Structures are given as structure tokens and as C-alpha cells.
Amino acid sequence: MGLHISFELNDEDLEHFRLIMIQARNAAARKSPEEIVATATRLMQEICTLRAPGFIAERMQKLQLMIRMISDIDWRLAHDESGRILNALAYFGEPDDLIPDEIPGLGLLDDAIMIELVMRELQHEIEAYEEFCGFREQKPERVSAELETMRTELQSRMRTRRQRDLLTNAETAARLLD
């Protein structure tokens, strides 16, 4: 039988994670987008060999989705939007994160928490990308014009929803990736 553990991060906790994300983003500023993606990909591969606990493995699948999103040639995000995803991936390339990854069972807990926070920040981007992938998979023979039209529509909707959330979100200053 499994054990269910839940906890709540208060505003102070979230601020701590935001500061860690800023540090990671600053450190990654010296790296190319390709280096950031390669480092996050390498982390994914290492975690697969560690047989990470289920709650970690589930979040790592979300990290894999972000890597695919930034690498997908058909999706092509605008520079500032791809920057948000690269900012998220930058954390996972930091060797000195909050909990050393080598600690069995717990070492990737901070990574899982950060993935969860990042997924909330990138909710609209991820929803749009997943819908795009579903559209593309329905008929793999689609011509590029159809994909381009769908990409444009989904990214426009994504931007509208993100903007709406920013306008209604009183906690805008605590955003992780902006």
C-alpha cells in the first residue's frame, strides 16, 4: 500500500522557489538554448536510470513535454515564449539545486516541486502544444499549411489566455518565469 503525503507551499515558500528560479535563470544566461535543452535532456536520461519514485517519474514526463515543446520544429514559439520555457528548463541543469539529486528517494523532490510550479506557469502554453500534437497526430500526412494555421490559432489563443490571467492575477509579481 502506498503512502500519500501532501503539503502546502505558502507565499514565503513560493518566493523562495522564485528566487531559486531567478538564480538558475541568471546562471543559464551564459548558456545557449541548445546547451540548456541538452542539460535538461541529460537529467531526464539520468533519472530514468535511477528508477525514481513514481511521483518524481510523473513530473519528469512533464519535463519531457517541455523539452519536446521547445525542440518541436513545427511548433516554433516566439522568442519571449521560448525564453519562458528555457527559463524553466534552466533550473534542471543546475548541479547545486535545493536538495542534492544523489539523495535516494528525496533528492529529486525539489525538482518535482519546481516542475509542478513551472507547469502551472506554463499551463496555457502546454495546453496549446498538447492540442497541436493531437491535431498533428490525427493525420500525420497533413500539409505544412494546415499545421501552420492550427499553430497560429492555438498560439493566439494561448497568448490571449495568458494575458487574461495576468490581468486578473493579483499575484503577478510572484510569477516564476517572467
Side-chain angles (χ1 to χ4, degrees):
M1 175 163 56
L3 172 66
H4 177 81
I5 299 173
S6 66
F7 55 91
E8 184 175 329
L9 298 174
N10 63 28
D11 289 340
E12 187 176 305
D13 299 328
L14 292 173
E15 178 65 16
H16 181 72
F17 274 96
R18 188 179 74 76
L19 292 173
I20 292 170
M21 181 60 80
I22 289 169
Q23 291 171 348
R25 182 175 48 202
N26 291 340
R30 298 180 300 276
K31 297 179 182 176
S32 71
E34 294 79 16
E35 288 175 293
I36 294 170
V37 170
T39 302
T41 301
R42 200 167 32 256
L43 172 69
M44 287 291 307
Q45 293 166 344
E46 289 172 12
I47 290 169
C48 288
T49 64
L50 292 177
R51 292 188 35 99
F55 69 94
I56 301 291
E58 289 173 23
R59 270 87 191 158
M60 290 301 131
Q61 290 175 352
K62 295 176 180 182
L63 179 62
Q64 181 63 39
L65 178 67
M66 285 189 284
I67 292 169
R68 282 196 332 261
M69 186 185 338
I70 195 75
S71 303
D72 190 333
I73 200 160
D74 290 333
W75 185 239
R76 293 185 313 275
L77 289 167
H79 179 72
D80 61 324
E81 292 161 342
S82 61
R84 287 170 46 85
I85 295 168
L86 288 170
N87 285 342
L89 294 177
Y91 176 81
F92 305 103
E94 283 301 302
D96 300 322
D97 55 8
L98 196 56
I99 303 172
D101 292 347
E102 297 79 32
I103 298 175
L106 295 176
L108 297 169
L109 180 60
D110 61 316
D111 298 274
I113 291 169
M114 191 62 83
I115 289 171
E116 203 59 41
L117 294 171
V118 164
M119 294 302 288
R120 290 177 186 209
E121 289 290 318
L122 296 172
Q123 170 189 350
H124 301 301
E125 288 87 343
I126 289 165
E127 288 173 358
Y129 180 64
E130 287 177 327
E131 191 171 333
F132 177 79
C133 289
F135 176 80
R136 183 173 52 188
E137 289 168 9
Q138 284 175 354
K139 290 187 180 176
E141 71 281 356
R142 289 188 195 275
V143 295
S144 61
E146 288 178 287
L147 289 176
E148 181 70 22
T149 299
M150 180 55 81
R151 179 181 69 85
T152 301
E153 289 174 14
L154 289 170
Q155 287 182 359
S156 175
R157 184 185 72 192
M158 166 190 85
R159 291 176 188 115
T160 300
R161 289 178 176 177
R162 186 176 351 108
Q163 188 64 31
R164 179 200 62 214
D165 286 358
L166 286 173
L167 293 173
T168 59
N169 187 353
E171 310 259 345
T172 305
R175 309 290 285 182
L176 280 174
L177 304 174
D178 288 330

